[in-house]
């Protein structure tokens, strides 16, 4: 049977997971009904058919003897797509709010091990009305870009074009340590070089770590294992107007919006504003532009102190832009964000036994994850029903209460907020704060 070894970073995500800290990515895609579009049962059948045709979704994780501590992806012999695709009816009322609430409950549940690590849920309301699809993919299976490439296979516009690419795909055989003396010697040299790189990257991570984490108490409350989802929609034209006035990139503007939104949220809670921090981990892809998505995780991250304590929105914008320029000049292999690069350099056995310790150390590195997930620019549909909104969702690290993910689609930036349900019961207030902050930045840009 063909198989493919998990890369070190994928293996780290696989072993970082615990019952209270599931390590899956997610996306909530919301569709409008269309005349002649698929019914609920029709959409469910369509989802199952298209998901079953994606080879990556038929792969499960299994342990291997060599290399020691490793694991591999292999095609599940008894794969049954109906164990992964489900339908849930939302009670009558506000469908959008109901879908977000149900999605939060579903995101609490770890994916079942021993099966290909993914699930899809069709969320329906009244017949002929809007519907939503929640997609859950384990982080070991994909990073944000790869998750988009996998999940996009369910859409009408992409499913038909997938056949040609599938014919070109090749399975990668696992590398054996017993392939011959030259290969063993080459492997040994490679490991020495990798360990040398790991020392340099690791030193950078340690220098950036906080032995006495301060941060914001609201973002580091004790983990309850519960999940609450929040959503916000920002106008992309407004983001670009602020960018043109303030300089920098659209991503700089969005990071400044997050900083200002957090400030507004903390003030509404009556909490003291921190003099320093909080720290945001901002993932950046290590895939080459124009290259195929490939398998597994390929990213590093930048570390950014969000200027929540600064009362001036324009000053916050300037500070974010300056800090991100400094990060880009240094490169993604410096600072606490280089932890993912370090993971790629460590022996596989270290991930198997060191994951619990690494999971607990995340709090020493950063306070909140803020990630941008790219989406196709073209209009998408499912069963003839147009996609209207899509909210990405990131996993929560142990000891942290909030993760923020952003995606641009249809001229709008969709923000997905994942929070610990008990630590952040007022997540809707934070979602509103993001829009309020963008409105103020826009007013100041005129």
């Amino acid at each position: 049977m063909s198989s493919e070894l998990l890369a070190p970073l994928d293996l780290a995500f696989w072993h970082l997971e615990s019952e209270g800290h599931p390590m899956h990515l997610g996306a909530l895609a919301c569709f409008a009904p269309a005349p002649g579009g698929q019914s609920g049962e029709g959409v469910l059948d369509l989802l199952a058919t298209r998901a079953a045709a994606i080879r990556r979704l038929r792969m499960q994780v299994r342990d291997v003897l060599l290399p020691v501590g490793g694991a591999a992806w292999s095609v599940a012999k008894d794969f049954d797509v109906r164990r992964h695709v489900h339908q849930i009816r939302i009670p009558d009322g506000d469908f959008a709010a109901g879908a977000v609430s149900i999605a939060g409950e579903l995101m609490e549940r770890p994916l079942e091990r021993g099966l290909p690590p993914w699930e899809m849920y069709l969320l329906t309301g009244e017949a002929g009305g809007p519907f939503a699809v929640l997609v859950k993919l384990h982080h070991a299976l994909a990073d944000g870009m790869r998750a988009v490439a996998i999940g996009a296979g369910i859409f009408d516009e992409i499913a038909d074009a997938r056949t040609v690419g599938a014919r070109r795909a090749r399975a990668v055989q696992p590398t054996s340590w017993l392939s011959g003396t030259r290969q063993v010697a080459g492997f040994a040299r490679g490991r020495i070089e990798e360990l040398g790189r790991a020392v340099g990257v690791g030193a950078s991570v340690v220098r950036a770590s906080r032995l006495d984490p301060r941060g914001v108490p609201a973002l580091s409350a004790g983990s309850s294992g519960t999940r609450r989802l929040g959503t916000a929609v920002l106008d992309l034209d407004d983001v670009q107007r602020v960018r043109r006035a303030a300089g920098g990139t659209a991503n700089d503007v969005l990071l400044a919006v997050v900083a200002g939104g957090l400030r507004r949220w903390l003030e509404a809670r009556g909490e003291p504003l921190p003099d320093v921090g909080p720290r945001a981990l901002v993932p950046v892809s290590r895939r080459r532009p124009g290259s195929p998505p490939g398998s597994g995780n390929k990213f590093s991250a930048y570390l950014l102190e969000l200027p929540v304590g600064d009362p001036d929105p324009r000053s916050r914008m300037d500070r974010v832009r300056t800090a991100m320029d400094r990060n880009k000049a240094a490169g993604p292999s410096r600072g606490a964000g280089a932890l993912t690069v370090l993971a790629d350099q460590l022996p596989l056995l270290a991930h198997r036994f060191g994951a619990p310790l690494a999971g607990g150390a995340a709090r020493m590195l950063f306070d909140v994850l803020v990630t941008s997930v790219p989406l196709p620019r073209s209009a998408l549909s499912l069963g003839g029903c147009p996609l209207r909104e899509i909210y990405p969702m990131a996993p929560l690290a142990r000891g942290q209460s909030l993760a923020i993910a952003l995606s641009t689609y249809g001229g709008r930036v969709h923000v997905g907020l994942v929070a610990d349900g008990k630590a952040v019961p007022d997540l809707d207030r934070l979602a509103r704060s993001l829009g309020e902050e963008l409105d103020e930045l826009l007013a100041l840009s005129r």
Side-chain angles (χ1 to χ4, degrees), residues 258-285:
V258 168
L262 286 171
R263 177 185 173 86
R264 292 170 182 271
W265 174 63
L266 291 170
E267 286 181 322
R269 280 181 150 216
E271 296 194 14
L273 297 172
D275 295 327
V276 179
R279 280 181 164 187
L281 196 68
V282 184
V284 55
S285 176

Side-chain angles (χ1 to χ4, degrees), residues 17 73 83 108 119 170 178-180 183 199 238 323 334 421:
E17 184 169 67
W73 294 106
R83 299 180 71 177
E108 291 179 9
E119 292 174 344
R170 288 185 177 181
L178 306 176
S179 303
Q183 285 159 308
V199 170
D238 290 347
R334 294 292 180 267

Side-chain angles (χ1 to χ4, degrees), residues 368-380:
V368 59
L369 175 71
V370 184
T371 182
S372 294
V373 182
L375 292 176
R377 295 184 179 180
S378 58
L380 300 171

Side-chain angles (χ1 to χ4, degrees), residues 27 43-44 46-54 57 81-88 106 111 116-123 132-137 141 147 150-155 162 382:
V43 172
L44 188 68
L46 190 61
L47 277 176
T49 299
R50 290 181 176 173
I54 302 173
L57 296 184
V81 72
R82 292 293 180 171
R83 299 180 71 177
H84 301 264
V85 179
H86 314 278
Q87 182 175 5
I88 296 177
L106 295 172
L111 295 163
W118 65 275
E119 292 174 344
M120 292 184 190
Y121 290 88
L122 173 63
L123 309 179
V133 175
L134 174 67
V135 179
K136 293 168 56 177
L137 298 173
L141 185 66
I150 293 173
I154 70 171
F155 294 112
R162 191 176 53 220
L382 177 61

Side-chain angles (χ1 to χ4, degrees), residues 25 138-139 141-148 285 287 293 296-299:
L25 309 169
H138 200 286
H139 211 336
L141 185 66
D143 56 16
M145 289 185 67
R146 179 60 177 167
V148 169
S285 176
R287 301 182 190 277
N297 289 272
K298 294 184 183 298
F299 71 93

